[in-house]
Amino acid sequence: MPLPYLTWMPASYNNNLAFAGARHAWNALLNLWERRQNRAVLRSRPLVIQVEVTKRCNIHCFMCLREDIPKEDMLPEVLAEVLPLSKHTREMQLYGYGEPLIAKPFYALLGRLECANIRFTTNGVALKPGVLHRLLTEARRPVSHISFSIDAATASTYEEIRQGSDFGRVLNNLAYVDEYRRMHGLRFPMTEIAFVAMKRNIRELKDVVRLASRSGVSSVHVAHVVVWDERNREESLLYHPEETQRCFAEAEEAASALNVRLDLPARISLNGKGEPPDPTRGAPKCYMPWRHPVIKFNGDVQPCCAAPDDVMGNVLEDTFEAIWNGSRFGRFRMRVNSTRPPEVCKSCDIRFRDSPSGDRIEEVYIRPPPANR
């Protein structure tokens, strides 16, 4: 029987207490309560912190904003500031605009973090059996989830999107995580596939679901491509609503038959054939500034992963606590769900992932690159 003072907690919040000790659990509950109260200044620490261990990568994805960003690893001074934050944080996510497995700071953090659990996203090229064994045995805290970026079910499409990668190697590395779990009697790490949906790969989504089932993958998370280069405009599914509807339906049918969790975004379109917004709902609520900041490789702190130009401060210039409860962060929290949100929030592809944004929908998925990526 649940405790009466926890009956307001959503069932999904059980995930936020997985692996948690008393310190992490208390912080998680306090964080949830404070964001429900719309507090600008918080007693709680972040529920999740995303840490950008590197901006370097070992492949080139045509839809990625990597052309004009520095190719550097996290500074040692920033790493030293990150470690103490893990004492209260439930989850540390070790990835950003780069491939974490090729960066020394990734492994340096693994063995020293005190959070409840660790998660990361990888393109999978470098996650060879020896690397998997190393990171799972060296990690001080459980690695709960590994997300593989796989956007196709055929080598030709995949390697066209993720140039310089090796489809066969990635699939072997993906399957080996499931084999490793079985060999060692482990439940974790769970694996998921992150699929960026676009014109050139949407027909293969159903086969990616089947691939996930064969590889012991628990879920497939789908996101619409955000077009940063005008030359790739036609890749957006905004312009292909009928095909999107059909391919999403086929993927849902496959997922249901194979018992794979399929997390689809809203169907989008410019011609009314997608999922129109509900005018009575307004913009979806966003709680990222209360729960999920980002610390960049250079120490910059962002309120979330979708606001690269909104820097709240830098941990090399001020303490994280001062930044977390500083005036910039407080104002951002107070504005994000108001009638005058920050400009970046009006066209956020994460915020509007499950609820199309009406008249601004083209701004969500077709936009110029931000300056501070």
Side-chain angles (χ1 to χ4, degrees):
M1 181 176 180
L3 296 174
Y5 53 84
L6 295 183
T7 54
W8 48 267
M9 187 194 305
S12 62
Y13 210 70
N14 290 337
N15 293 333
N16 293 333
L17 301 182
F19 306 104
R23 184 171 56 209
H24 304 117
W26 167 249
N27 183 69
L29 293 171
L30 179 61
N31 183 272
L32 175 62
W33 183 80
E34 288 185 317
R35 71 181 195 241
R36 285 173 62 92
Q37 299 299 314
N38 201 39
R39 296 286 179 88
V41 177
L42 310 178
R43 289 173 56 203
S44 64
R45 307 293 180 85
L47 186 66
V48 177
I49 299 178
Q50 183 177 333
V51 180
E52 184 179 58
V53 292
T54 187
K55 278 192 177 291
R56 295 186 299 118
C57 197
N58 52 356
I59 64 172
H60 173 73
C61 304
F62 86 92
M63 68 286 194
C64 184
L65 273 172
R66 294 194 44 78
E67 293 298 330
D68 301 317
I69 61 176
K71 312 297 192 292
E72 301 178 46
D73 289 349
M74 173 167 275
L75 301 173
E77 302 89 339
V78 177
L79 190 149
E81 296 296 326
V82 165
L83 285 170
L85 305 180
S86 67
K87 291 181 179 179
H88 297 275
T89 298
R90 176 184 65 88
E91 180 173 280
M92 301 293 279
Q93 299 182 347
L94 305 184
Y95 63 95
Y97 260 78
E99 170 53 46
L101 295 180
I102 66 173
K104 290 182 179 179
F106 174 82
Y107 300 97
L109 285 169
L110 272 182
R112 301 168 67 186
L113 291 174
E114 299 181 57
C115 53
N117 64 281
I118 299 166
R119 174 194 291 255
F120 66 91
T121 295
T122 175
N123 57 45
V125 176
L127 193 58
K128 297 177 287 188
V131 174
L132 178 68
H133 179 74
R134 174 190 173 187
L135 69 89
L136 293 181
T137 53
E138 290 186 3
R140 181 175 181 179
R141 300 299 300 152
V143 177
S144 61
H145 291 78
I146 302 174
S147 180
F148 282 72
S149 298
I150 299 176
D151 313 296
T154 62
S156 56
T157 304
Y158 172 85
E159 292 173 8
E160 183 181 76
I161 295 170
R162 299 196 175 265
Q163 297 158 18
S165 188
D166 183 317
F167 186 62
R169 180 190 298 180
V170 170
L171 292 193
N172 288 339
N173 292 344
L174 173 67
Y176 184 74
V177 180
D178 184 50
E179 183 181 341
Y180 188 94
R181 282 198 307 258
R182 294 173 185 274
M183 285 191 302
H184 295 274
L186 303 175
R187 182 182 174 193
F188 297 95
M190 303 295 286
T191 49
E192 65 181 25
I193 287 176
F195 181 99
V196 179
M198 62 194 83
K199 168 65 175 174
R200 73 178 67 185
N201 69 358
I202 190 62
R203 295 181 184 180
E204 297 185 25
L205 178 57
K206 64 181 182 299
D207 293 319
V208 169
V209 170
R210 296 178 180 128
L211 183 158
S213 177
R214 296 193 302 270
S215 304
V217 172
S218 60
S219 63
V220 176
H221 177 88
V222 181
H224 289 292
V225 70
V226 176
V227 176
W228 305 106
D229 187 328
E230 181 63 30
R231 292 171 296 180
N232 297 325
R233 177 182 284 266
E234 279 301 310
E235 289 292 342
S236 175
L237 296 179
L238 272 173
Y239 309 111
H240 311 284
E242 294 88 352
E243 187 170 22
T244 302
Q245 292 276 25
R246 176 176 55 80
C247 293
F248 276 14
E250 292 172 350
E252 286 176 318
E253 183 178 354
S256 177
L258 296 169
N259 197 30
V260 173
R261 182 173 178 269
L262 177 62
D263 184 13
L264 289 172
R267 281 72 162 168
I268 57 175
S269 78
L270 289 174
N271 60 11
K273 296 182 180 179
E275 294 176 359
D278 180 349
T280 66
R281 290 175 56 187
K285 295 289 185 182
C286 174
Y287 298 106
M288 296 289 273
W290 283 266
R291 67 183 299 271
H292 197 156
V294 177
I295 301 179
K296 303 293 282 185
F297 79 104
N298 62 353
D300 282 349
V301 178
Q302 298 170 190
C304 65
C305 62
D309 291 337
D310 292 274
V311 178
M312 304 290 104
N314 187 290
V315 296
L316 299 184
E317 300 170 0
D318 211 340
T319 66
F320 179 83
E321 289 74 14
I323 297 168
W324 181 239
N325 279 316
S327 58
R328 281 189 228 171
F329 231 130
R331 285 195 299 269
F332 200 96
R333 291 184 185 113
M334 292 301 94
R335 290 186 61 196
V336 67
N337 293 316
S338 74
T339 56
R340 298 180 63 188
E343 196 62 31
V344 68
C345 304
K346 298 176 184 178
S347 57
C348 174
D349 58 300
I350 298 175
R351 183 173 200 166
F352 292 102
R353 178 182 182 274
D354 301 312
S355 178
S357 54
D359 293 341
R360 297 183 68 103
I361 193 166
E362 197 164 19
E363 295 176 40
V364 174
Y365 298 105
I366 312 293
R367 44 192 164 131
N372 200 39
R373 288 283 174 172

